Amino acid sequence: MKVLVFDDMSRVTEQEVARMLPLVTAQRREQALRYKHLFGQFCCLKSWMMVYETGGIQGEWEYNEYGKPFVPGAPCFSLSHCKEGIAVAADDQPIGIDIEGIRHADDALIERTMNEAEQAIIRAADELDRVFTRLWTQKEAVLKCLGTGIEGFEALQQALTSFDGKLTSVEKENYIYSIATTN
């Protein structure tokens, strides 16, 4: 497994986007330029370059029925970005990654996205927002690993209870990322 995290978001500049544009495939260039805002363009280009850097993943991206990207014949990969950073993971087996800045968790969001046991864990925590964000990234990573993404709140609530793969979370000062693999 290879994991790359980029968190120097001060490099989100027009000059950096212009530098990356000729380095990516025409497909990715077109996708990046569809974003109206510089941040989206940067993340689209930088995530592609990070996937390429993981090794062995070259060629045009295809997408499964849920929108998960893949390259036929290449290792599995997953990517995610938020205002705090970009995370990419690649492996020879299904993999999912999610990165999120520590976010405020109001009661309505907790109830919609977490099952009763998870709600109890969050509400008992000293750092409620940090615990919520960790669980959220774990759920997203699992659903990406499975290739389904978020199909609805019920699937989201049960994502961790039905997953029997490996789950790892890394916590930084202002963001958390989680990785899910099937072994």
Side-chain angles (χ1 to χ4, degrees), residues 59-117:
E60 297 295 316
W61 292 18
E62 296 184 20
Y63 299 86
N64 76 6
E65 62 187 290
Y66 301 101
K68 180 177 174 82
F70 68 96
V71 174
C76 300
F77 66 93
S78 182
L79 57 112
S80 180
H81 61 81
C82 68
K83 69 178 184 170
E84 306 298 335
I86 302 168
V88 169
D91 202 0
D92 59 358
Q93 63 186 332
I95 192 164
I97 194 165
D98 188 54
I99 185 171
E100 296 288 339
I102 306 300
R103 61 190 287 187
H104 174 67
D106 63 38
D107 285 336
L109 184 60
I110 292 170
E111 289 173 12
R112 277 195 319 269
T113 60
M114 304 291 160
N115 63 39
E116 288 182 16

Side-chain angles (χ1 to χ4, degrees), residues 23 45-46 61 87 89 110 113 121 123 125 128 153 162 166-167:
L23 303 176
L45 295 166
K46 184 66 176 174
W61 292 18
I110 292 170
T113 60
I121 291 168
R123 290 192 172 108
L128 181 136
F153 289 120
S162 60
K166 183 178 177 187
L167 195 53

Side-chain angles (χ1 to χ4, degrees), residues 13 16-17 20 68 116 138 142:
T13 64
E16 189 64 10
V17 166
M20 289 188 289
K68 180 177 174 82
E116 288 182 16
Q138 289 174 348
V142 164

Side-chain angles (χ1 to χ4, degrees), residues 21-23 40 47-48 55 61 74 82 87 90 101 122 126 134 138 141 165-166:
L21 278 169
L23 303 176
S47 63
W48 184 93
W61 292 18
C82 68
I122 292 167
D126 289 335
R134 181 179 351 98
Q138 289 174 348
K166 183 178 177 187

